[in-house]
Amino acid sequence: STRFEPYRNVTRAEFMALVVRMTGLKADRPYNGTFTDVDPEDWFYHELEVALQHGFITGKSPTTFAPNDPVTREQAATIIGRMFRNPDYSSVKAHIYRDQNEISEYAKTHVQLLESKGIMTGYQDNTFRPQQPLSRAEAAAILYRLLNK
């Protein structure tokens, strides 16, 4: 397709593939196939191997990856946050969003890290909207800022 569709939601597989392709990383061992909803013929299979090996992503459960589910804003923050190896959290200023209590524990440090680096921010109403699906426009902006930091 030649359409960008900026307001369409990005799936977990699409976002993971964008991040892996942006890094240029490769896998040095094959994926062991624990996800029952992923097939070796899937278009994102190679990127999944890389993302799992480098620790960028996990499944929604030990057996479910949910590739076609929309990636949420907190999941996207976590994927990007995991790219930073041993970040210095001591210099991270915690931004308190109005919906801070809606951010999952696993995502909180990643959200704070990306906020402090200006890679991923909240909305003008001081919310982060962690469970909201990430739009293609938001994904493009986040990856652009990541590449230019």
Side-chain angles (χ1 to χ4, degrees), residues 73 76-77 97 111 114-115 118-122 128 134 142 145:
R73 288 178 46 80
Y97 292 104
V111 169
L114 297 189
E115 168 75 31
I119 295 169
M120 190 172 185
T121 59
F128 187 76
L134 190 72
I142 291 165
R145 288 191 292 265

Side-chain angles (χ1 to χ4, degrees), residues 21-53:
R21 291 174 186 170
M22 182 188 73
T23 67
L25 292 171
K26 305 290 183 211
D28 60 11
R29 62 185 180 273
Y31 159 63
N32 64 8
T34 59
F35 297 130
T36 58
D37 57 352
V38 174
D39 186 272
E41 300 302 314
D42 287 333
W43 66 267
F44 58 86
Y45 190 82
H46 170 71
E47 288 85 355
L48 181 62
E49 286 180 314
V50 175
L52 288 169
Q53 183 174 332

